[in-house]
Amino acid sequence: MSAADLTGAVLERLQATPDPRLREVMTALVRHLHGFVAEVGLSRDEWLAAIRFLTATGQISTDQRQEFILLSDTLGVSMLVDLLAEPAESGRAGFATETTVLGPFYVEHSPAREYGASIAERPSGEPAWYTGRVTDTDGNPIAGATLDVWQNADDMLYAVQNPDSPPDNLRGVFRTREDGSFAFLGVRPTDYPIPADGPVGRLLARTGRHPWRPAHIHVIVSAPGYQTVATHIFDADSRYLTSDAVFAVKSSLVRTFERHEPGSGPAPDGVPPGEPWYSLRHDFRLGRAPG
Ligand code: BEZ
Ligand code: FE
C-alpha cells in the first residue's frame, strides 16, 4: 500500500459521515494531516514526541488553565479563526471595532461599577483614566451598552492568576450613559509573558520565541441588538507590538496614553495626590446583530 492509497482509504471511510459539515471538516483535516506527515517524513520518534506533547498539554489543563487554547493562540490559530469570523472592513470608519483574542484570563460576573469608578481595589500601578463612547457604525450613541473590562497590574498578573489579589481587582462591568459615554479609572497595563511553565512555553523556547504580550486592557462591549465585540486596547509605547506571542495586535486597536504630571490640572477621583497619571480615550463601534 502506498501513502496515497492509505490517505485515500481513510477519506473514503469518512464519506459515510451523515453530517455534511462534519464530513467536510474531517475530510480536509485528514488530507492536511496526512499531507503534513508525508511532507516532513515524520519519524516514529517524532510521532511519539508529538503524542507526549499533546498528552502533557491536556494534563496541565485545569478549570483555571487551558493549555490547548494557549497552543492555539501561539500557533496563530485563534487569530485566524477571529479573522475569518470578522468582516474584512472592521476597524475602518463606518464599520465595527475590530475584535481580537479573548485570552484565558476572562472571568465572568465582574462587579458592576458606576460611571467613573475605579477598578483598582488596591494600589496596582500608575493610575489611568479611560474614557470614550460606544456608538453604532453610523456614530449614533448607544445608551446602556455594557463594557466588561479586565486588565493586569504592575506585577504583570491578572487577579485570577494571583492568589494574593482581591478576586475582583482590576475587573468591572460598566454601562454607557445616554450619550454613549463611559469612564473608569484603571492602571496603565504592563507587558507580560503568557504562562510559559508548561508544554507551550517549552515549545516557544525550542522554536526561539519569546512569550511576551504587548501591554493592553481587555474589553467586551455588548448591547441588545448589536454584535458583541471582544477586543483589546494596546499601549502604543509597548516594545512587543510587532512580536505579540499570540499575534493579536491590530493597528486600529493601538492607542497612546497621555501622561499628566501632578499639579498640571484636576486629576480624576481616586488618583493619589502628588502622583502622575495617564489618560486614554477610545471609542467603540458596534455593528447590528443579524436578523
Ligand atoms: C491575554 O491577553 O490575556 C492572553 C491572550 C492569549 C494568551 C494568553 C493571554
Ligand atoms: Fe491580556
Side-chain angles (χ1 to χ4, degrees), residues 113-131 149-154 168-172 174 182-190 216-219 233 257-258 260 268-272 275-280:
R113 303 191 194 266
E114 292 299 314
Y115 177 91
S118 177
I119 56 173
E121 297 188 349
R122 65 173 184 180
S124 302
E126 298 174 296
W129 177 240
Y130 296 91
T131 59
V149 304
W150 68 107
Q151 68 159 137
N152 68 350
D154 54 0
D168 290 336
N169 193 39
L170 299 178
R171 308 167 51 202
F174 294 87
F182 66 86
F184 60 91
L185 187 66
V187 296
R188 190 159 179 186
T190 64
H216 59 269
I217 71 162
H218 294 255
V219 189
I233 308 173
F257 282 86
E258 190 181 342
H260 304 268
D269 278 354
V271 173
E275 280 192 19
W277 54 284
Y278 292 87
S279 62
L280 184 147

Side-chain angles (χ1 to χ4, degrees), residues 64-276:
Q64 306 294 326
R65 175 172 187 156
Q66 231 303 352
E67 193 80 354
F68 277 109
I69 294 186
L70 209 56
L71 180 60
S72 160
D73 294 344
T74 54
L75 294 179
V77 175
S78 309
M79 280 309 291
L80 183 56
V81 171
D82 178 79
L83 284 170
L84 294 174
E86 194 173 58
E89 299 85 0
S90 290
R92 298 196 198 142
F95 292 91
T97 297
E98 283 189 291
T99 55
T100 190
V101 283
L102 183 66
F105 304 126
Y106 174 63
V107 179
E108 279 183 281
H109 310 303
S110 282
R113 303 191 194 266
E114 292 299 314
Y115 177 91
S118 177
I119 56 173
E121 297 188 349
R122 65 173 184 180
S124 302
E126 298 174 296
W129 177 240
Y130 296 91
T131 59
R133 284 201 321 152
V134 179
T135 69
D136 65 16
T137 50
D138 296 324
N140 303 307
I142 303 177
T146 299
L147 284 90
D148 193 341
V149 304
W150 68 107
Q151 68 159 137
N152 68 350
D154 54 0
D155 61 4
M156 303 197 293
L157 299 175
Y158 291 85
V160 68
Q161 294 175 281
N162 184 354
D164 299 329
S165 169
D168 290 336
N169 193 39
L170 299 178
R171 308 167 51 202
V173 174
F174 294 87
R175 294 265 168 171
T176 55
R177 302 195 294 189
E178 276 308 304
D179 62 353
S181 63
F182 66 86
F184 60 91
L185 187 66
V187 296
R188 190 159 179 186
T190 64
D191 297 334
Y192 67 91
I194 61 170
D197 57 340
V200 171
R202 289 194 286 280
L203 184 61
L204 288 180
R206 285 284 304 272
T207 52
R209 291 173 55 185
H210 72 68
W212 289 86
R213 294 219 60 208
H216 59 269
I217 71 162
H218 294 255
V219 189
I220 300 176
V221 190
S222 58
Y226 293 89
Q227 284 185 297
T228 296
V229 165
T231 191
H232 294 10
I233 308 173
F234 290 97
D235 185 339
D237 287 342
S238 171
R239 56 190 285 226
Y240 294 112
L241 283 175
T242 54
S243 67
D244 184 1
V246 301
F247 307 94
V249 179
K250 294 177 173 176
S251 57
S252 71
L253 306 178
V254 179
R255 288 289 176 278
T256 300
F257 282 86
E258 190 181 342
R259 185 178 166 94
H260 304 268
E261 296 304 333
S264 62
D269 278 354
V271 173
E275 280 192 19

